[in-house]
């Protein structure tokens, strides 16, 4: 199984690096006259960063550029779902950034490294 973003296979390899950061939590601290200490109001989880790195592959430069354009089109402010080959599913993802490296031709395909940065909403 390959990684799938919104039920589309953009990523040709089954192996990619996925860095899942710790969730961030927001707290408001308030103090009042005559009260020792502070009152903490827990606002709950706000989100966490997920960074995916790997390689895009295609038969030619036009197909590779089409894949890149389709992923760029997902930077739309909507929530997305990433399904990993190991069975993990990450929902409520905003795509913050998509970076690609230079294209390398090798054998019957052309490829480039990529980095996708998501924010998973809490």
């Amino acid at each position: 199984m390959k990684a799938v973003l919104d039920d589309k296979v953009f990523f040709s390899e089954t192996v990619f690096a996925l860095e899942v950061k710790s969730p961030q939590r927001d707290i408001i601290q308030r103090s009042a006259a005559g009260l020792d200490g502070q009152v903490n109001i827990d606002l709950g989880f706000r989100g966490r960063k997920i960074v995916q790195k790997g390689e895009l592959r295609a038969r030619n430069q036009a197909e590779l550029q089409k894949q890149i354009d389709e992923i760029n089109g997902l930077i739309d402010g909507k929530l997305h779902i990433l399904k990993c080959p190991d069975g993990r599913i990450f929902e409520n993802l905003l795509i913050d950034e998509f970076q690609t490296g230079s294209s390398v031709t090798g054998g019957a395909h052309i490829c480039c490294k990529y980095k996708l940065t998501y924010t998973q909403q809490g």
Side-chain angles (χ1 to χ4, degrees):
M1 179 179 156
K2 297 180 181 180
V4 177
L5 184 60
D6 286 346
D7 295 325
K8 285 189 176 183
V9 178
F10 292 106
F11 317 109
S12 54
E13 79 252 11
T14 57
V15 178
F16 61 89
L18 193 65
E19 182 181 347
V20 181
K21 311 264 179 145
S22 176
Q24 299 298 311
R25 186 171 208 100
D26 276 350
I27 297 173
I28 296 175
Q29 295 182 338
R30 297 285 186 239
S31 54
L35 193 74
D36 290 336
Q38 294 181 334
V39 174
N40 290 326
I41 302 168
D42 185 359
L43 300 176
F45 290 116
R46 292 292 169 217
R48 68 176 166 180
K49 294 289 183 185
I50 297 174
V51 179
Q52 177 184 352
K53 295 179 184 177
E55 193 173 81
L56 295 174
R57 293 180 188 215
R59 289 182 290 207
N60 55 46
Q61 184 65 39
E63 284 184 17
L64 183 64
Q65 189 59 49
K66 182 180 175 191
Q67 286 180 349
I68 291 170
D69 292 342
E70 286 180 11
I71 295 172
N72 276 325
L74 294 175
I75 305 174
D76 55 6
K78 296 179 182 174
L79 296 176
H80 304 281
I81 299 172
L82 176 66
K83 296 177 184 175
C84 299
D86 60 7
R88 292 183 293 173
I89 298 174
F90 297 95
E91 296 179 329
N92 300 325
L93 298 176
L94 286 173
I95 300 175
D96 296 330
E97 185 178 26
F98 175 55
Q99 298 175 345
T100 59
S102 57
S103 301
V104 177
T105 304
H109 65 273
I110 186 167
C111 62
C112 71
K113 302 259 185 218
Y114 72 87
K115 177 182 172 184
L116 264 165
T117 305
Y118 306 97
T119 299
Q120 186 176 32
Q121 299 299 299

